[in-house]
Amino acid sequence: MTELEMMLLRQLEQQQHDSESLVSGLSTDLARLQTALNAQQAESQALRRELAHSDRQNAELIERLTGRVDALTTLLGDLRMR
């Protein structure tokens, strides 16, 4: 094997090593990002559930308040007629 071939072989080996290191680093980053994404999705889902629950509670309260306003309006109307 000539000196040039040896130098090219070393360069190829170094490039392969660098590529493997890069892939390893990218795989680690991807795993970390996937973990963060999963956590965000779980938090988002929990927040959506809380929001839906809050919306239901607010709708019930508005319904009750509307009923009270209607009842008070009727009482006020009855008092005016007297």
Side-chain angles (χ1 to χ4, degrees):
M1 191 176 282
T2 68
E3 188 177 325
L4 179 60
E5 290 172 330
M6 289 294 291
M7 186 174 63
L8 289 173
L9 181 59
R10 281 193 298 272
Q11 286 180 347
L12 284 173
E13 289 172 345
Q14 183 61 45
Q15 286 177 351
Q16 181 176 357
H17 174 73
D18 293 346
S19 294
E20 289 171 355
S21 295
L22 179 60
V23 168
S24 176
L26 290 173
S27 294
T28 300
D29 290 346
L30 179 59
R32 188 171 44 252
L33 289 171
Q34 187 65 47
T35 300
L37 177 62
N38 291 343
Q40 282 184 333
Q41 287 174 334
E43 183 178 352
S44 177
Q45 187 175 17
L47 289 172
R48 280 194 298 272
R49 282 193 302 269
E50 288 178 26
L51 182 59
H53 178 70
S54 176
D55 285 349
R56 286 190 300 275
Q57 284 182 323
N58 288 339
E60 290 171 10
L61 289 172
I62 289 171
E63 188 67 31
R64 286 176 29 201
L65 286 173
T66 301
R68 289 178 184 172
V69 168
D70 290 345
L72 290 172
T73 302
T74 301
L75 287 173
L76 185 58
D78 290 347
L79 287 174
R80 286 184 181 165
M81 295 180 127
R82 290 184 183 180

